Amino acid sequence: MTMAFEGIDLAPLATELIARASADQSDADALMDLSTILQLQGIRDLGVTTQAHALQTKRLFGLQSRGAPGIRLLAIMAPGDLMTNTPLEFLIEDSDISLSMLYVLPDEPIPSELPAHDVLFVAVSQSDRTHALLDQLAAAAPSWPKPVINQPDRITNTSRTQAYQLLEGIPGLFMPVTARASRAELQRISTAALPLRDVLCDGAFPLIVRPVDSHAGRSLAKVDAAEDLEPYLLATGGDEFFISRFVDYSSQDGLFRKYRIVFIDGVPHAGHMGVSEHWMIHYLNAGMADSALKRAEEEAFMNGFEIDFARRHADALRTVAERFALDYLVIDCGETGDGDLLMFEVCTGAVVHAMDPVDVFPYKRPHMNKVFAAFRSMLSRSMSPYGDGVPVV
């Protein structure tokens, strides 16, 4: 992923992996790496299919620590694309944490023989596809012989509809109502045969529409009027959609600002800040690398996070951490014109990384190292029977 982030051509590596898998059809590691490359190249469905072939051979994959492992971390994973599980690889890169990744397929029992580990991390993110597996893991978690990070019954609360219900009524925080709508309902709304408010209680155009279980802006659109729903549906697959009212969160200068905040043991940390002329911000399309002014603003945000952003939204951020009660949680948010925290998404699967080139983003690496150290410290504390932790090396 770092190679793709840096614009390196992954085709030669893909060719090498295909040759390996062709020579040895039991080379599941080659297939798993090829699956990742295919997804990074935008060939999602083939990537997921390639992963499925790998999982027919084995379910357990590992990343070794740098030197002797100080913490042995076991992650329970679900099959799927790159947004299906918490991307732990970034959080433990170049550390003394060894990572074992066990893929559990739907309707299968959790294996009785597991690799030696100190901590279990439930890496499965919430989605319709993973709901049954999270329920299964929730039943197993209370009797797990090792500490469990991110209780699975709490992960289910991060769905778009349940997140709104959990966050409703928090002073200083605003999240528009999110509802599920079938394709048939949206078609009826598009012709005025069904009032929008019969599906979305505070419904008003413009709307934000996306297929259920889509992430990273895939098929996400702002629909300005009822008649615009029909062309959107014609161009978009899926039987069910999330809809919510669009909130104009532009600042006085007309630009939009989106923040990624990482909660570790309930403590918020700055992940990144994107500044864009467009309302749909993804860090990669915000032009941060091309604008010294945008980078200077992000640097100020990260450097002053504890005394500015986190202090201004302290009550709202604390309540978010308390209501979700997850050891590791990521939110994407903005700010309303009134200064409230505007919630876009709550999840456990967002990428928190240090891939940005140091020569362009020299301010980011120290802050990300603080996040990674906090993550290791959280794992270490969970291993202590008295909760007083083990010093971070």
Side-chain angles (χ1 to χ4, degrees):
M1 192 175 288
T2 301
M3 293 170 66
F5 195 85
E6 294 174 351
I8 297 173
D9 183 10
L10 296 176
L13 180 55
T15 300
E16 176 187 331
L17 292 168
I18 291 171
R20 273 180 52 188
S22 299
D24 180 2
Q25 296 187 7
S26 66
D27 190 345
D29 293 317
L31 288 171
M32 286 296 280
D33 284 343
L34 180 60
S35 167
T36 299
I37 289 176
L38 290 169
Q39 293 181 65
L40 292 172
Q41 292 175 327
I43 315 173
R44 176 193 175 276
D45 291 344
L46 181 57
V48 172
T49 300
T50 302
Q51 181 195 82
H53 287 306
L55 296 178
Q56 289 175 2
T57 301
K58 71 173 188 177
R59 305 288 175 75
L60 183 65
F61 299 83
L63 289 175
Q64 297 302 312
S65 60
R66 186 177 60 181
I71 299 176
R72 298 169 300 175
L73 181 62
L74 172 62
I76 300 293
M77 316 276 277
D81 60 23
L82 296 176
M83 298 297 294
T84 302
N85 303 288
T86 305
L88 294 167
E89 301 95 320
F90 294 101
L91 297 169
I92 66 167
E93 187 177 12
D94 295 328
S95 75
D96 67 341
I97 302 171
S98 67
L99 175 62
S100 298
M101 295 169 284
L102 178 66
Y103 284 81
V104 179
L105 272 61
D107 302 320
E108 279 192 352
I110 298 171
S112 56
E113 294 186 12
L114 298 169
H117 60 284
D118 303 306
V119 186
L120 174 74
F121 191 107
V122 179
V124 181
S125 298
Q126 186 281 329
S127 71
D128 277 13
R129 295 186 302 273
T130 62
H131 191 84
L133 177 56
L134 286 170
D135 286 345
Q136 180 183 354
L137 294 172
S143 58
W144 203 268
K146 297 291 184 177
V148 177
I149 301 297
N150 273 11
Q151 293 291 332
D153 58 335
R154 299 172 186 171
I155 294 174
T156 58
N157 290 331
T158 62
S159 74
R160 295 186 187 278
T161 51
Q162 288 178 261
Y164 160 75
Q165 293 170 9
L166 269 184
L167 298 178
E168 186 179 13
I170 296 178
L173 183 147
F174 179 68
M175 187 174 191
V177 179
T178 298
R180 290 178 71 131
S182 68
R183 175 176 289 270
E185 287 175 321
L186 292 184
Q187 287 172 334
R188 293 180 63 204
I189 291 171
S190 73
T191 62
L194 176 67
L196 174 59
R197 287 182 179 268
D198 284 1
V199 179
L200 184 67
C201 62
D202 71 341
F205 288 95
L207 285 181
I208 297 296
V209 187
R210 76 184 82 208
V212 168
D213 286 351
S214 71
H215 294 280
R218 184 167 55 90
S219 299
L220 169 67
K222 179 165 74 75
V223 177
D224 292 318
E227 57 267 24
D228 298 326
L229 279 170
E230 183 63 26
Y232 170 80
L233 293 171
L234 288 173
T236 308
D239 296 323
E240 286 198 284
F241 300 82
F242 285 123
I243 60 173
S244 60
R245 181 164 55 87
F246 172 74
V247 177
D248 184 354
Y249 65 103
S250 58
S251 302
Q252 290 184 351
D253 60 3
L255 298 177
F256 296 86
R257 291 162 173 84
K258 188 176 82 169
Y259 311 91
R260 176 157 292 175
I261 311 298
V262 188
F263 290 85
I264 300 175
D265 255 356
V267 178
H269 302 264
H272 66 226
M273 172 189 183
V275 184
S276 176
E277 295 76 16
H278 195 272
W279 65 268
M280 185 167 57
I281 302 178
H282 300 291
Y283 197 81
L284 289 178
N285 70 13
M288 299 297 292
D290 301 324
S291 171
L293 288 176
K294 290 181 178 180
R295 294 196 302 276
E297 188 172 345
E298 182 185 37
E299 180 178 9
F301 161 71
M302 299 187 84
N303 288 343
F305 178 76
E306 288 84 1
I307 61 173
D308 184 14
F309 190 96
R311 181 173 295 175
R312 283 189 286 112
H313 299 293
D315 291 341
L317 292 171
R318 181 173 57 252
T319 307
V320 169
E322 291 171 351
R323 293 197 179 180
F324 285 96
L326 284 162
D327 308 286
Y328 179 82
L329 180 69
V330 181
I331 66 170
D332 283 342
C333 58
E335 293 180 294
T336 68
D338 296 330
D340 289 343
L341 195 68
L342 175 63
M343 297 291 290
F344 300 134
E345 186 170 10
V346 183
C347 70
T348 59
V351 180
V352 176
H353 65 85
M355 292 188 289
D356 301 280
V358 176
D359 58 331
V360 181
F361 300 87
Y363 55 89
K364 294 192 76 170
R365 174 68 69 164
H367 291 288
M368 300 318 298
N369 286 342
K370 286 171 58 178
V371 172
F372 304 151
F375 183 79
R376 188 201 184 281
S377 181
M378 181 256 294
L379 297 179
S380 180
R381 284 194 301 273
S382 75
M383 294 161 53
S384 170
Y386 302 104
D388 53 359
V390 177
V392 177
V393 178

